[in-house]
Amino acid sequence: MEIWINPACSKCRSAISLLDAEGAGYTVRRYLEDVPSEDEIRAVLARLGLEPWDITRTQEAEAKELGLADWPREESARSRWIAALAGHPKLIQRPLITADDGSAIVGRTEEAVREAISRSARGTS
């Protein structure tokens, strides 16, 4: 299991604390420093079953500067959204947890983090 975090984010710190409390095995990716490529973002979107606009933090100042609110949310604009996420990783929703069963979850709630733990346990058994 891998968790993409911003250490300054309280939801990320809560997710790490829960993973530790549950004894889950995971690796940390500080995605603002180790920025995911466009291909990595496409792969995590496939695992999440989401579109890039679904994991974009549209209230960030960078999103407003880019005018993301006006970007179309359709297949023809998908590559543009992915390029924006790769170019501005602060816009990526966090924490993202990739489970060992091949799925991924946006771990913003305790329930979501527990689901990732459960999926990883199933994926390694």
Side-chain angles (χ1 to χ4, degrees):
M1 183 167 28
E2 182 177 76
I3 182 169
W4 293 9
I5 68 159
N6 172 352
C9 167
S10 63
K11 299 272 188 201
C12 293
R13 291 191 307 269
S14 293
I16 294 285
S17 293
L18 182 55
L19 292 171
D20 288 343
E22 296 294 324
Y26 64 93
T27 58
V28 170
R29 179 171 188 169
R30 293 178 180 219
Y31 70 92
L32 297 179
E33 299 162 16
D34 181 9
V35 179
S37 68
E38 290 184 26
D39 285 342
E40 288 175 303
I41 292 169
R42 278 188 200 86
V44 85
L45 286 167
R47 292 175 78 165
L48 286 163
L50 297 173
E51 293 297 336
W53 45 85
D54 296 327
I55 65 161
T56 301
R57 298 173 56 83
T58 57
Q59 298 306 309
E60 291 287 339
E62 290 178 37
K64 292 180 188 332
E65 290 167 17
L66 292 170
L68 291 183
D70 298 326
W71 288 18
R73 295 178 180 218
E74 56 194 34
E75 182 61 33
S76 64
R78 194 168 195 271
S79 292
R80 183 180 181 195
W81 281 87
I82 290 169
L85 292 173
H88 305 273
K90 191 173 187 181
L91 298 178
I92 300 172
Q93 189 58 264
R94 59 187 185 250
L96 291 178
I97 304 171
T98 57
D100 293 338
D101 71 349
S103 66
I105 288 179
V106 179
R108 295 193 55 77
T109 65
E110 182 176 324
E111 294 78 23
V113 176
R114 289 189 185 284
E115 177 63 21
I117 293 168
S118 173
R119 290 180 184 188
S120 283
R122 288 193 306 263
T124 58
S125 56

